[in-house]
């Protein structure tokens, strides 16, 4: 019996050694964390990651127009929200409301050399005694639809200091024949922290597609396919492919409430 116990003890020791060796040679894979690149999976309709950030949210106040959201927290996520919520101020041109829009743009920005480029289209249209050719729907010349593009790319961000954000938007641009033409494009803006996110640079010149080296490229841009319908169409795979042709998809993220 004593010999049997010795044999069993020796056999148990061997099994234990083998088991330990197997564990050491094949350690379990660690669970992915939020900081690991692999944890952000492409889950949108067109293969882009989708964030929890929504257009039309993020702040606690509104500007003097009663609709432009202000009062952000200073995080990089809030910079992405601010960029989307400020986009209409850089893109829209309505000759009847331009004065108010320009005032609000001043409230959410710091004036600089960029300001003239950002306001020249509206200034020219608003200074005309008559509605400019192509105007539609009671004074509109360009009307943005930010959710129709519904994507952003964070080029750089230092919380409560500075951020460079690109926002992909849709818009209706000037009436052709009987309908305004739908387009898609990218607005690039630099935001600085002054107790709130404020625009400090925007709308690069046409000969400055990388925004002074601060972004990878000018971002997707191009017209919607087909005959104008008077509205910005939803994105399709074919349209996304054409708009991103020759442009990197790296870093682009969908807003949670993008129109799809």
């Amino acid at each position: 019996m004593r010999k049997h116990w010795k044999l069993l003890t020796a056999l148990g020791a061997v099994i234990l050694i083998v088991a330990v060796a197997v564990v050491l040679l094949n350690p379990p894979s660690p669970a992915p964390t939020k900081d690991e690149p692999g944890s952000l999976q492409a889950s949108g309709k067109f293969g882009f990651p989708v964030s929890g950030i929504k257009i039309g949210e993020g702040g606690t106040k509104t500007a003097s127009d009663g609709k432009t959201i202000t009062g952000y927290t200073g995080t990089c996520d809030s910079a992405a929200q601010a960029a989307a919520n400020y986009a209409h101020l850089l893109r829209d041109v309505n000759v009847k409301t331009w004065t108010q829009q320009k005032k609000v743009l001043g409230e959410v920005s710091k004036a600089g050399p960029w300001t003239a480029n950002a306001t020249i289209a509206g200034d020219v249209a608003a200074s005309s005694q008559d509605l400019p050719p192509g105007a539609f729907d009671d004074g509109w010349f360009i009307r943005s639809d930010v959710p129709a593009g519904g994507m952003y790319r964070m080029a750089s961000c230092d919380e409560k200091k500075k951020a460079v954000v690109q926002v992909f938007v849709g818009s209706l641009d000037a009436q052709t024949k009987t309908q305004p033409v739908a387009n898609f494009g990218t607005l690039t803006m630099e935001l600085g922290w002054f107790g709130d996110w404020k625009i400090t640079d925007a709308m690069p010149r046409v000969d400055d597609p990388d925004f002074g080296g601060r972004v990878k490229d000018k971002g997707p841009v191009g017209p919607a396919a087909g005959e104008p319908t008077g509205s910005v169409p939803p994105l399709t795979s074919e349209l996304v492919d054409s708009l991103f042709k020759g442009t990197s998809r790296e870093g682009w993220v969908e807003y949670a409430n993008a129109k799809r």
Side-chain angles (χ1 to χ4, degrees), residues 73-79 157-163 193 197:
T73 62
T75 65
C76 293
D77 278 355
S78 72
C157 182
D158 193 352
E159 292 190 353
K160 290 192 174 181
K161 289 185 179 180
K162 186 168 67 174
W193 181 253
W197 287 117

Side-chain angles (χ1 to χ4, degrees), residues 63 65 67-69 82-93 98 101 104-105 108 140 142-146 167 169 187 189:
D65 61 358
K67 66 178 183 179
T68 301
I69 299 173
N85 296 336
Y86 294 163
H88 72 100
L89 298 172
L90 296 172
R91 185 68 177 132
D92 287 0
V93 176
W98 176 249
Q101 181 179 330
V104 175
L105 179 60
V108 302
W140 284 102
I142 302 172
R143 184 169 66 207
S144 63
D145 185 345
V146 183
V167 183
V169 305
L187 295 175
M189 66 189 85

Side-chain angles (χ1 to χ4, degrees), residues 48-64:
F48 297 97
V50 178
S51 74
I53 300 171
K54 291 186 176 181
I55 300 163
E57 295 184 0
T60 58
K61 305 174 184 177
T62 56
S64 62

